[in-house]
Every structure is written in C-alpha cells, then in structure tokens.
Amino acid sequence: QVQLVESGGGLVQAGGSLRLSCRFSGTPFAMYVINWYQQAPGKQREVVATVTPGSSTTYADSRKGRFTISRDNSKSTVYLQMNTLKPEDSGVYYCNAYHLSRHGPDYWGQGTQVTVSS
C-alpha cells in the first residue's frame, strides 16, 4: 500500500518561495509517476507539475519558469520548488502517484495548504 505525505506548505507573501515535499512509502518508488495538484477554493483539482521515473518533467503553462519538480529516488521523495508565488497559486497542494504501467490505483496524499498573500 502506497502512502504519500506532503509537507512544506505555509503562508508567504507574493513574490516569495516555498518548497513542498512528498514522501513516498510502501512499495518501490522508482516505477511511479508523481504529480502535484492544486485545489483552489471553489475550484476543481488541477495538475501543476509531473515527474516521470526517468525524471522527465511537465508543467501547467501558468507555472512554467516559476515551479520546478524534482525527485530523489534515494529518499523516495519528490519536491516542488515554487518561486515568484502569486495569490492565485494559493490552495491545497496534493501529491499523486500512479505506476508507470498504469496498472493499479492512483494514490493521494492528505494535502498541504499554501497561502500567498498579496
């Protein structure tokens, strides 16, 4: 059973930075695709960034150039470095994982709150 635990959220002023962490446990990490999602108040959850087992990355257009996703396979952890934060980046950030083969379920963490003040 996969478990995901997010950390690193908080309150920051616009223009500031935060680094989120997603700690993965329960099964070999290296074969899982990891996504970060944002859920803003009153909105649907949307994907922010993705990192594959081979460390290829993709980003939502609104985050390109500001956010960086990375993975450390030795620590079974994925990071989301968020720079030049904007109020619209506020919300609960969730870590999501699924096996590269697409067999099996998606897994979700409990989320971490990010609040960017203007």
Side-chain angles (χ1 to χ4, degrees), residues 58-98:
T58 57
Y59 298 92
D61 286 345
S62 60
R63 269 67 172 203
K64 288 178 180 177
R66 299 191 298 122
F67 288 15
T68 303
I69 188 171
S70 61
R71 66 191 294 155
D72 184 340
N73 287 343
S74 69
K75 296 181 179 179
S76 297
T77 300
V78 171
Y79 303 99
L80 185 68
Q81 178 66 43
M82 306 187 296
N83 297 329
T84 319
L85 283 162
K86 304 175 181 180
E88 52 264 42
D89 294 321
S90 297
V92 180
Y93 281 71
Y94 294 92
C95 186
N96 162 270
Y98 62 84

Side-chain angles (χ1 to χ4, degrees), residues 1 6 12 14-15 17 23 27 35 43 47-49 51 54-55 57 63 65 76 85 96 98-99 101 104 107:
Q1 182 74 11
E6 301 98 331
V12 64
S17 298
R23 179 76 164 89
T27 198
N35 304 284
K43 295 187 177 181
V47 64
V48 169
V51 62
S55 292
T57 59
R63 269 67 172 203
S76 297
L85 283 162
N96 162 270
Y98 62 84
H99 196 274
S101 68
Y107 298 96

Side-chain angles (χ1 to χ4, degrees), residues 35-50:
N35 304 284
W36 281 101
Y37 280 76
Q38 176 205 19
Q39 187 160 24
K43 295 187 177 181
Q44 288 190 331
R45 205 171 288 190
E46 61 178 18
V47 64
V48 169
T50 299

